[in-house]
Structures are given as structure tokens and as C-alpha cells.
């Protein structure tokens, strides 16, 4: 894995340069907004990547909590599988299908529903208890970075287009709340030394994740200042723009994977250092206790 | 109003955020590596 890291870094850097070239020189200029619309190629992929990372944090936290007992572990696994199966079947039931917002295809709902157990089982296969906690922390931290990019590039784009930097519209407000939830998660992880911290953080992550669908679907179900979704949901996009958008998303996803891998290794190293320091101080106190015991008869004798 | 300025600002801000974060990761990694090395010597 360590050997693959430099190769993957070079490939990601190349892909990011290519994606930048596509966004600036290849994508057509939008008719009403002009050049500033190209912010879209950084803003939207960053948002999608942040959602994906928060989703991974949610599944890792859920699994960390469920792994406390073998019975809850089994129950959680079967519940997630049942959600996946139900979610894959339900959109094809006419009564449910009629309730779906315009432009939301049953196949996309089914695919998303099937991805939940797939990612959950994959995480469970490759990560054990401590690693699950580290994965959750890594995904949350990198997710906050991508969400920060969304919250910074959004107002920069809004100023020339809407004439304002910010408005308390549903999409913008829920995104800010999402960012605040995960910042508080990171603050909890950073400043709490209790042995219960991973468990408390996991509970916060599970409840915090409830905001993700709210952010995503806010523009599907409500009329907001924010534009309609570009894929389905009433919005439309030039195929050339869509191609550039997907290239940029791939590039930012590779960057996220790379940064997550580095952050995971850093967390592992940090815990190793902390364990070694704890062991050292334990041995040090053990040695000093032995020394004081050895000195005790002598001191008594001297008395 | 020059909208290109906003485009440049957004792209620069994005890379500034990512660059700062990656830089902080590299700094922390070097610090922990050094601590590990020092403990190994002891």
C-alpha cells in the first residue's frame, strides 16, 4: 500500500490538472452567467465528495456502535441488508413511484439503496473495531475540508450571480448546519480524553448524518434560491458540461481517497506514539516504584 | 463587474484550503515520525 501511494499521488495530480484544463478551456461558456459559472466544476464535485465522506463516516460509526455485542452486530447487518433490499424494490411499486419527485428515476433510488449495504459490508470486511473508529474520524475530517470548499466557493459564485454573498435559504442553511455538526464532532474528538469519546462521537455522527438527506433533497422538495439539481429533479445540463463535471468529480474523489489514506496513516502513527508514551511512562513509574521499595529498608535502617 | 475575478478567487480558495490541510497533515506526520524515532533510540 505504501509503495502504491506515490504512484496514486502522481496519477491524481495528473487527473486534477486534466480536470482543471477541461473546466477552464474545454467546457462551453454558460450563456447567462458567463465565465463565473465555471466555479460549478469545483463547487458541485466538492459537495458530492463531502456527502460521500459523511456517508462513510455514518456507516463506520454505525458499525463501530453495532460491534459492541455480537447480537447487535448481526442485527445491524441484517437491518442494513433489509433497508437495501426494500429500497431497491420500493421505487418500482406504483404507489411509491408516484410520490417520487419529477426527474428522480426509480433506478437511481434502487442503486443508492443497494449501495448502503454494499458499502456497509465492505467497511466491515476491511476494518476492525479500532480501524472503524479511525476510518470514521478520517472521513469526517476530510469531509469537513470538502464541505468548507463548498461553503467558500458557493458565496463567491453567488455574489456576481445573485448580487448577494449569502441568503438563509434551505439548501445553504442546512449545508452550514451539516458543516457545524461535523466540526463539533471533530472538536469532541480533539478535546475529550475520556475512553467513551469514540462511542459518544459515533452516536453524534449517526444523528448528524440525518442532515445529509435533508441537504441533498432540500432543492428537490422545496423552492429555494439555490438552482435545481443538475441531474434529474427538473434541472438540465449540456452533455459537454456534464462530461467535464464527471471528470472533475472523479479527480476530486481520487484526491479525497488519497488524503483519507494519508490521514488514516497519520492517525495510526499518532495512536502508536501515544501507546508507546503510555508504556514508557508506565515502565518509568514501575522502575521508580522498585527503586523506592529497594530504598525503603535502608531508610528504615538508617532511622 | 469582472466575473473572472470571482472565478479565480473560487479556484484559488479551493486550492488554498486543500493545500493548508495537506501541509498540516505532512507537518503532523513528520512530528510523530520524529517522536517515534526518539523513543526507539531510548
Amino acid at each position: 500500500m505504501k509503495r502504491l501511494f506515490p504512484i496514486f499521488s502522481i496519477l491524481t495530480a495528473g487527473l486534477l490538472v486534466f480536470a482543471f484544463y477541461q473546466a477552464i478551456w474545454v467546457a462551453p461558456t454558460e450563456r447567462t452567467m458567463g465565465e463565473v459559472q465555471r466555479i460549478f466544476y469545483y463547487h458541485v464535485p466538492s459537495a458530492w465528495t463531502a456527502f460521500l465522506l459523511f456517508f462513510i463516516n455514518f456507516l463506520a460509526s454505525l458499525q463501530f456502535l453495532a460491534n459492541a455485542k455480537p447480537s447487535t452486530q448481526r442485527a445491524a447487518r441484517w437491518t442494513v441488508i433489509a433497508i437495501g433490499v426494500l429500497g431497491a424494490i420500493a421505487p418500482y411499486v406504483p404507489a411509491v413511484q408516484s410520490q417520487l419527485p419529477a426527474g428522480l428515476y426509480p433506478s437511481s433510488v434502487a442503486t443508492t439503496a443497494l449501495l448502503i449495504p454494499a458499502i456497509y459490508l465492505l467497511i466491515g470486511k476491511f476494518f476492525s473495531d479500532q480501524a472503524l473508529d479511525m476510518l470514521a474520524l478520517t472521513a469526517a475530517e476530510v469531509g469537513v475540508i470538502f464541505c468548507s470548499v463548498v461553503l467558500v466557493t458557493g458565496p463567491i459564485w453567488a455574489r456576481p450571480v445573485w448580487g448577494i454573498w449569502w441568503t438563509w435559504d434551505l439548501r445553504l442553511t442546512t449545508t452550514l448546519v451539516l458543516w457545524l455538526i461535523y466540526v463539533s464532532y471533530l472538536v469532541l474528538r480533539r478535546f475529550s480524553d475520556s475512553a467513551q469519546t469514540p462511542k459518544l462521537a459515533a452516536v453524534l455522527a449517526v444523528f448528524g448524518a440525518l442532515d445529509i438527506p435533508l441537504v441533498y433533497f432540500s432543492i428537490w422538495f422545496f423552492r429555494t434560491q439555490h438552482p435545481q439539481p443538475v441531474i434529474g429533479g427538473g434541472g438540465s445540463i449540456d452533455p459537454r458540461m456534464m462530461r467535464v463535471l464527471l471528470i472533475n468529480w472523479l479527480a476530486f474523489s481520487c484526491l479525497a481517497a488519497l488524503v483519507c489514506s494519508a490521514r488514516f496513516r497519520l492517525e495510526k502513527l499518532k495512536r502508536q506514539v501515544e501507546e508507546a508514551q503510555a508504556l514508557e511512562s508506565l515502565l518509568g513509574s514501575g522502575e521508580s516504584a522498585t527503586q523506592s521499595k529497594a530504598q525503603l529498608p535502608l531508610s528504615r535502617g538508617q532511622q | 463587474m469582472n466575473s473572472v475575478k470571482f472565478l479565480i478567487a473560487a479556484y484559488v480558495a479551493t486550492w488554498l484550503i486543500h493545500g493548508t490541510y495537506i501541509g498540516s497533515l505532512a507537518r503532523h506526520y513528520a512530528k510523530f515520525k520524529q517522536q517515534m524515532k526518539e523513543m526507539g533510540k531510548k
Side-chain angles (χ1 to χ4, degrees), chain A residues 102-114:
Chain A
L104 187 60
Y105 303 113
S107 58
S108 8
V109 179
T111 313
T112 313
L114 283 174

Side-chain angles (χ1 to χ4, degrees), chain A residues 50 52-54 56-57 134-144 260:
Chain A
L52 183 68
L53 289 166
F54 291 148
I56 290 172
N57 165 272
M134 290 198 288
L135 175 70
L137 174 63
T138 299
E141 196 172 292
V142 182
V144 164
C260 277

Side-chain angles (χ1 to χ4, degrees), chain A residues 43-59 112 119 139-140 142-148 150-151 171-172 174-179 182 208-220 226 229 249 253 256:
Chain A
H43 180 76
V44 177
S46 298
W48 288 353
T49 311
F51 288 153
L52 183 68
L53 289 166
F54 291 148
F55 185 61
I56 290 172
N57 165 272
F58 164 69
L59 290 181
T112 313
I119 298 176
V142 182
V144 164
I145 295 300
F146 276 89
C147 199
S148 305
V150 177
L151 286 170
R171 167 54 78 91
L172 276 68
T174 48
T175 309
L176 181 64
V177 169
L178 186 72
W179 185 81
Y182 284 96
L210 294 175
D211 195 34
I212 306 170
L214 197 66
V215 176
Y216 187 74
F217 288 108
S218 58
I219 51 172
W220 291 76
H226 191 279
W249 188 37
S253 298

Side-chain angles (χ1 to χ4, degrees), chain A residues 17-27 38 243-244 247-248:
Chain A
V17 171
F18 178 67
F20 174 78
Y21 166 76
Q22 291 279 321
I24 299 293
W25 286 285
V26 176
R38 293 180 199 276
R243 199 179 131 263
V244 176
I247 290 170
N248 272 275

Side-chain angles (χ1 to χ4, degrees), chain A residues 2 16 20 23-24 33-36 38-39 41-42 46 141-142 145-146 148-149 152-153 156 159-160 165 252 255 259 262-263 265-266 269-270 272-273 276-277 280, chain B residues 1-22 24-40 42:
Chain A
K2 267 187 184 176
L16 282 163
F20 174 78
I24 299 293
M33 285 185 270
E35 295 294 337
V36 78
R38 293 180 199 276
I39 293 175
Y41 302 112
Y42 270 33
S46 298
E141 196 172 292
V142 182
I145 295 300
F146 276 89
S148 305
V149 169
V152 169
T153 54
I156 296 175
R159 184 68 185 89
W165 293 101
F252 278 106
L255 176 70
V259 176
R263 180 65 184 89
R265 272 166 58 188
L266 174 68
L269 185 65
K270 186 187 161 204
Q272 279 172 354
V273 169
Q277 279 172 341
E280 203 180 57
Chain B
M1 181 177 55
N2 187 1
S3 65
V4 175
K5 273 183 191 170
F6 288 97
L7 175 67
I8 294 168
Y11 276 44
V12 168
T14 301
W15 287 113
L16 214 61
I17 292 169
H18 285 306
T20 310
Y21 180 62
I22 293 168
S24 88
L25 286 187
R27 246 190 346 267
H28 280 97
Y29 195 80
K31 190 183 96 180
F32 288 127
K33 267 272 184 227
Q34 183 66 29
Q35 279 184 349
M36 266 310 236
K37 212 180 263 179
E38 279 167 16
M39 273 190 287
K42 283 177 190 176

Side-chain angles (χ1 to χ4, degrees), chain A residues 7-19 251 254-255 258, chain B residues 15:
Chain A
I7 300 166
F8 190 48
S9 304
I10 294 165
L11 286 176
T12 304
L15 191 58
L16 282 163
V17 171
F18 178 67
C254 287
L255 176 70
L258 197 71
Chain B
W15 287 113

Side-chain angles (χ1 to χ4, degrees), chain A residues 166-210:
Chain A
W166 183 266
T167 176
W168 293 101
D169 126 315
L170 196 61
R171 167 54 78 91
L172 276 68
T173 311
T174 48
T175 309
L176 181 64
V177 169
L178 186 72
W179 185 81
L180 286 171
I181 288 170
Y182 284 96
V183 167
S184 57
Y185 171 91
L186 295 178
V187 169
L188 173 69
R189 304 289 316 226
R190 174 75 180 80
F191 294 107
S192 172
D193 288 333
S194 158
Q196 293 295 314
T197 306
K199 212 174 264 183
L200 288 172
V203 173
L204 175 64
V206 169
F207 283 104
L210 294 175

